[in-house]
Amino acid sequence: MRQRRQRTLTRRLKKFTDNEKEEWKELSEIMMSDEESQDGMPNQFMVKPPAWRAEVLSTFLYSIDARRDTQKVNYPRKSRVYKARDDDNYFSDRQLPLARSNLPDLFFN
């Protein structure tokens, strides 16, 4: 799972503007959502953000994904499914990282 989150972060960083790179320079892969494969749907991932991640960061990351999704590519993309926030199974069950002390408070609820 960690490698997938690292790839997600790397992909998102490519879409950051220079100002965003400076503002979010301490962002790490632990802040990325978990993506779980759907049974019977190998090309779809269910996106589950960590419950402890700040809403402002989630909104920003989703806007980065939207930028990426509007670009034309020559290969099939795996689709990402986002659940409604009031869904019982919305959040990842990943625990708050022990390394939190190294990250800014604005990343957390």
Side-chain angles (χ1 to χ4, degrees):
M1 203 56 98
R2 184 177 177 165
Q3 288 179 339
R4 186 177 289 169
R5 288 193 299 265
Q6 182 60 49
R7 285 192 304 267
T8 300
L9 175 61
T10 301
R11 184 183 69 234
R12 285 173 168 162
L13 288 173
K14 291 177 185 177
K15 301 299 171 202
F16 281 26
T17 65
D18 289 338
N19 289 342
E20 290 167 343
K21 285 178 186 174
E22 181 60 29
E23 182 179 356
W24 299 99
K25 65 185 172 196
E26 296 172 1
L27 196 59
S28 73
E29 79 276 349
I30 63 171
M31 302 308 296
M32 300 297 108
S33 297
D34 290 334
E35 296 177 346
E36 299 174 3
S37 299
Q38 298 273 27
D39 290 337
M41 302 177 119
N43 291 327
Q44 273 193 348
F45 287 109
M46 180 62 59
V47 178
K48 293 185 172 189
W52 41 262
R53 185 172 75 188
E55 184 63 28
V56 67
L57 179 56
S58 291
T59 301
F60 172 70
L61 293 173
Y62 295 154
S63 73
I64 296 297
D65 290 342
R67 285 183 215 168
R68 178 184 162 268
D69 291 343
T70 59
Q71 292 181 328
K72 187 176 179 178
V73 293
N74 295 327
Y75 54 87
R77 257 194 198 137
K78 294 187 186 244
S79 62
R80 296 165 53 103
V81 178
Y82 299 90
K83 287 189 169 189
R85 195 165 180 73
D86 58 353
D87 190 304
D88 291 338
N89 201 16
Y90 176 75
F91 290 111
S92 163
D93 57 1
R94 190 163 25 115
Q95 299 298 310
L96 185 66
L98 296 175
R100 178 185 172 164
S101 61
N102 301 336
L103 299 168
D105 287 339
L106 83 105
F107 288 179
F108 301 94
N109 281 330

